[in-house]
């Protein structure tokens, strides 16, 4: 589909897997669309508003309030031009509410959200603007890999578990990445989302 529409960025895996008596962290995948990428570590700010709480890479909305600014997020440094890639794994550990934004690419020039990936109770992952379903893998307890590739002034592409699920025309300007748990205009908590293996590249 195409329509018009501070710390380091690298985090370690929180889940452990027992193999032969040893505990091993799940391995992270390489970037999608490989070739010519340079790893970067942009700075970030933590945002807690309303009933939002952040504990490292665990993001929680503790209330069921369906109005106001309810958010628990990391907001990364602004970028302008070129191509940027985000990769991260999320696991919804609880979802008493619904329609919670997980990952945003924010247009700092407009300003406003440009792309938002959100989850409904039940597991549907969708693009907030346009409502396109990207996957039904966002069930409680499941780990989902998300990659976004953003060519500023060209296109924004979203991959779920390594498969391209959404393409979106991109204007020029300044943008930044955000992830965590954020109440959409039609959503509400409570919800807890755990992120891991967060990485960034540019070219």
């Amino acid at each position: 589909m195409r329509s018009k529409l501070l710390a380091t960025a690298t985090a370690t895996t929180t889940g452990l897997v027992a193999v032969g008596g040893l505990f091993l962290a799940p391995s992270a995948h390489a970037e999608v669309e490989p070739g010519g990428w340079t790893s970067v570590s942009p700075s970030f700010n933590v945002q807690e508003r309303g009933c939002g709480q952040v504990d490292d890479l665990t993001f929680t909305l503790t209330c069921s309030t369906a109005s106001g600014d309810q958010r628990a997020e990391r907001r990364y440094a602004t970028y302008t031009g070129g191509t940027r890639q985000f990769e991260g794994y999320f696991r919804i550990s609880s979802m008493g509410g619904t329609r919670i934004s997980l990952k945003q690419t924010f247009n700092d020039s407009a300003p406003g959200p440009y792309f938002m990936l959100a989850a409904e109770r039940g597991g549907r992952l969708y693009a907030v603007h346009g409502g396109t379903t990207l996957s039904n893998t966002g069930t409680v307890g499941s780990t989902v890999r998300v990659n976004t590739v953003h060519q500023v002034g060209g296109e924004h592409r979203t991959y779920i578990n390594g498969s391209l699920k959404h393409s979106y025309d991109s204007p020029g300007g300044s943008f930044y990445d955000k992830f965590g748990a954020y109440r959409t205009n039609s959503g509400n908590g409570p919800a807890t989302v755990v992120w891991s293996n967060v990485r960034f590249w540019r070219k």
Side-chain angles (χ1 to χ4, degrees):
M1 166 189 171
R2 192 176 294 225
S3 60
K4 193 172 184 179
L5 248 137
L6 272 186
T8 64
T10 302
T12 56
T13 304
T14 56
L16 295 177
V17 178
V19 179
L22 298 176
F23 287 91
L24 304 175
S27 61
H29 289 75
E31 67 273 11
V32 296
E33 302 184 14
W37 295 102
T38 298
S39 179
V40 294
S41 297
S43 60
F44 66 84
N45 291 318
V46 171
Q47 298 183 335
E48 295 177 317
R49 297 185 185 176
C51 66
Q53 297 180 1
V54 179
D55 180 7
D56 192 24
L57 288 172
T58 298
F59 304 84
T60 303
L61 302 180
T62 62
C63 64
S64 59
T65 305
S67 62
D69 196 359
Q70 314 299 331
R71 71 172 67 190
E73 296 179 305
R74 281 188 178 186
R75 187 268 202 217
Y76 281 79
T78 300
Y79 59 87
T80 302
T83 302
R84 305 288 176 140
Q85 182 170 172
F86 163 91
E87 178 181 85
Y89 294 72
F90 73 83
R91 176 176 55 85
I92 299 173
S93 62
S94 66
M95 176 73 85
T98 190
R99 302 180 74 83
I100 301 300
S101 176
L102 306 168
K103 163 68 173 67
Q104 299 182 45
T105 304
F106 199 94
N107 188 340
D108 208 19
S109 300
Y114 158 68
F115 172 79
M116 298 175 70
L117 172 68
E120 290 183 336
R121 185 169 55 235
R124 185 174 84 101
L125 303 177
Y126 67 100
V128 172
H129 301 92
T132 302
T133 298
L134 277 64
S135 174
N136 290 302
T137 57
T139 53
V140 171
S142 297
T143 298
V144 180
R145 175 190 176 196
V146 178
N147 293 75
T148 58
V149 177
H150 186 202
Q151 298 169 291
V152 178
E155 188 175 65
H156 183 282
R157 296 180 290 277
T158 303
Y159 293 77
I160 302 296
N161 291 330
S163 297
L164 179 62
K165 297 296 184 180
H166 186 267
S167 298
Y168 204 49
D169 291 342
S170 173
S174 300
F175 297 83
Y176 58 83
D177 291 299
K178 299 175 76 173
F179 67 83
Y182 170 76
R183 185 192 73 82
T184 66
N185 286 339
S186 59
N188 63 278
T192 297
V193 183
V194 181
W195 282 85
S196 60
N197 286 319
V198 177
R199 300 190 291 175
F200 297 82
W201 297 270
R202 64 171 172 81
K203 66 177 178 179

